[in-house]
Amino acid sequence: MSKEFDPDFGLTAEDYGRHRAGFPPEVVRRLAGLGVEAGGRDILDLGTGTGSLARLFARAGARVTGIDPAAPLLDQARALDAAAGVEIAYRVATAEATGLPDASFDVVAAGQCWHWFDAPRAAAEVRRLLRPGGHVVITHFDWLPLPGNMVAATEDLILRFNPAWSMGGGTGLYPRWLTDLASAGFRAIETFSFDLDVPYTPEAWTGRIRASAGVGASLPPEEVTAFSAELTALLHDRFPGDVLHVPHRAWSAVAVAPAPDAPR
C-alpha cells in the first residue's frame, strides 16, 4: 500500500471487535476437506486482528498462536476469546518478522490481510515457520459491491470522504496471491470460494464500515463522525429495513510447504 494510505486498525479496535463479521465456520470445514485439519495441530494466524480466524481454528481443536502489529486489536481478541471460552497465545509482531522458531507450525494462515504484507518477505517467513508438508492458507471474507446495492453505495460514500482509499470494487477473488505462493516455492496450490449473505442491522453495518481501512483506520475522528451520520442517513433513505442482507464471498488459497532443501 502507498504511503499516502497507511491505515492503523488500532484506532478502530472497538468497532473492529464489535462489528466486523467473523469468518464463517464453513471455511474451516472446507479446509479440512483439502487436508488442512485443525484438530491437534499447531496453527499460526498472521495479522490476526481480533482473532476471528484464530478462534475458528481453536474451536476446531487446534493450538493457535496469533500475531498482529496492533496491540489494541489483540486486547479485543483476548476479550472475545474469553467470551468464547477458547485460549489463544497472542504476540505483537509482523508477518515478515514473527520472531518465532523455525519449523514450529503445521499450518500458517493469513485471514483478510495478505495485501498488507511485503509478500516475498512474508512468504519466506511462512516457509521458515512451517514443518515439512505443512500448509499455508490465505483466506478472505469480503463484502460484494454489485450495481445498485447498498455495498456499492457505501463504497461511493467512503471514496467521497477518503479519495485515497483504493480497495473498493472488489470481486472477493485474489489470483495474485497464487503467484506469490508459487514464486515462493509452495506447491499443490488449490482454491475454493462460496457466497453467502451476512445479516447486519443498519447500526451494525455503520459500525462495520467505521472499522474499515478507509474510514476509522485512516480518517480523523471528526470525519469518522460525519461519515457515520451520512451513512446512517443513506441507509435510512435508500435501503430501509431493520435487517440488511449483505452479500459476501469467502475465498481461500491453500498450498503445501516445499521441501526444506528446496531453493528459496
Side-chain angles (χ1 to χ4, degrees):
M1 292 294 164
S2 69
K3 292 182 180 178
E4 291 77 14
F5 184 65
D6 187 19
D8 178 359
F9 286 100
L11 298 174
T12 187
E14 184 176 351
D15 277 328
Y16 198 114
R18 288 182 60 200
H19 296 302
R20 286 182 72 123
F23 283 88
E26 178 66 16
V27 169
V28 171
R29 289 193 288 271
R30 295 204 183 197
L31 288 173
L34 293 179
V36 188
E37 295 282 354
R41 300 291 186 88
D42 293 308
I43 297 181
L44 174 64
D45 186 28
L46 303 174
T48 194
T50 58
S52 167
L53 185 60
R55 274 186 296 281
L56 283 185
F57 286 129
R59 288 189 180 113
R63 295 177 294 271
V64 185
T65 301
I67 67 166
D68 199 280
L73 294 183
L74 298 183
D75 291 339
Q76 292 288 324
R78 292 183 184 97
L80 292 167
D81 291 351
V86 299
E87 292 187 8
I88 296 167
Y90 292 111
R91 60 187 292 161
V92 175
T94 66
E96 298 85 356
T98 63
L100 295 166
D102 291 359
S104 50
F105 294 96
D106 302 299
V107 178
V108 177
Q112 208 76 16
C113 56
W114 191 260
H115 49 289
W116 300 119
F117 302 161
D118 178 324
R121 290 178 59 210
E125 181 75 342
V126 172
R127 280 190 62 165
R128 184 183 71 79
L129 293 167
L130 280 172
R131 294 167 180 151
H135 290 87
V136 58
V137 175
I138 302 176
T139 188
H140 287 260
F141 189 47
D142 292 350
W143 67 56
L144 295 178
L146 302 170
N149 80 348
M150 58 165 290
V151 178
T154 299
E155 289 192 348
D156 288 343
L157 186 61
I158 296 172
L159 282 168
R160 184 151 65 81
F161 275 80
N162 190 350
W165 183 67
S166 60
M167 303 176 74
T171 65
L173 304 175
Y174 295 88
R176 197 177 83 194
W177 305 164
L178 308 183
T179 301
D180 290 343
L181 294 175
S183 298
F186 289 93
R187 57 188 176 81
I189 299 172
E190 298 185 72
T191 66
F192 65 82
S193 67
F194 58 93
D195 290 7
L196 71 164
D197 287 346
V198 178
Y200 278 91
T201 65
E203 179 185 12
W205 179 247
T206 301
R208 166 65 185 92
I209 302 304
R210 277 198 308 269
S212 69
V215 183
S218 54
L219 293 177
E222 63 275 12
E223 292 189 33
V224 175
T225 299
F227 174 89
S228 295
E230 290 210 27
L231 181 55
T232 298
L234 181 154
L235 296 175
H236 179 270
D237 294 341
R238 294 180 52 189
F239 304 96
D242 294 333
V243 179
L244 307 169
H245 296 280
V246 184
H248 280 67
R249 177 164 295 144
W251 178 92
S252 297
V254 178
V256 177
D261 56 353
R264 289 182 180 268

